[in-house]
């Protein structure tokens, strides 16, 4: 009814709900990708994963293209979420996974 799509984030080793997106799925995914990647200044650009739980392949490919246009990753992998993630999060779950750079102490 409200078309809410929660973003699950991992911070300090714990999972929790981050932002709650609202709207059509395709629009929400675009906003999600752009917000997650930002300007890329703190992201390791070696590789990124677009991981999904049974999303329509047109949607997955559109996300992959957006990721490629947004930042110059060396490798972009499309992967299928595990049965645990798929069971807990449900069909049409999609995530963009990457490593953030850590400042040298």
């Amino acid at each position: 009814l409200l078309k809410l799509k929660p973003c699950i984030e991992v911070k300090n080793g714990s999972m929790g709900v981050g932002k709650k997106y609202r709207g059509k799925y395709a629009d929400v995914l675009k906003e999600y990708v752009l917000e997650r990647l930002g300007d890329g200044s703190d992201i390791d650009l070696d590789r990124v994963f677009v991981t999904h739980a049974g999303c329509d392949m047109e949607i997955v490919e559109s996300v992959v293209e957006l990721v490629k246009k947004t930042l110059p990753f060396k490798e972009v992998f499309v992967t299928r979420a595990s049965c645990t993630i798929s069971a807990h999060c449900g069909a049409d779950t999609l995530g963009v996974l990457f490593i953030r750079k850590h400042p040298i102490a």
Side-chain angles (χ1 to χ4, degrees), residues 9-30:
E9 298 178 342
V10 177
K11 288 186 180 178
N12 300 320
S14 297
M15 288 177 45
V17 176
K19 181 175 178 175
K20 294 176 187 168
Y21 293 89
R22 185 173 178 187
K24 293 181 181 180
Y25 190 54
D27 297 335
V28 165
L29 285 176
K30 182 176 180 178

Side-chain angles (χ1 to χ4, degrees), residues 80-92:
R80 186 74 189 253
S82 70
C83 57
T84 302
I85 298 299
S86 297
H88 284 83
C89 297
D92 287 337

Side-chain angles (χ1 to χ4, degrees), residues 5-62:
K5 285 106 179 137
C7 175
I8 306 300
E9 298 178 342
V10 177
K11 288 186 180 178
N12 300 320
S14 297
M15 288 177 45
V17 176
K19 181 175 178 175
K20 294 176 187 168
Y21 293 89
R22 185 173 178 187
K24 293 181 181 180
Y25 190 54
D27 297 335
V28 165
L29 285 176
K30 182 176 180 178
E31 184 180 355
Y32 163 77
V33 169
L34 295 175
E35 285 183 3
R36 294 294 102 191
L37 297 179
D39 68 2
S41 61
D42 65 340
I43 295 176
D44 180 337
L45 297 175
D46 285 340
R47 67 193 51 87
V48 62
F49 295 84
V50 176
T51 302
H52 67 96
C55 292
D56 183 286
M57 285 312 293
E58 286 182 25
I59 291 173
V60 174
E61 288 302 321
S62 70

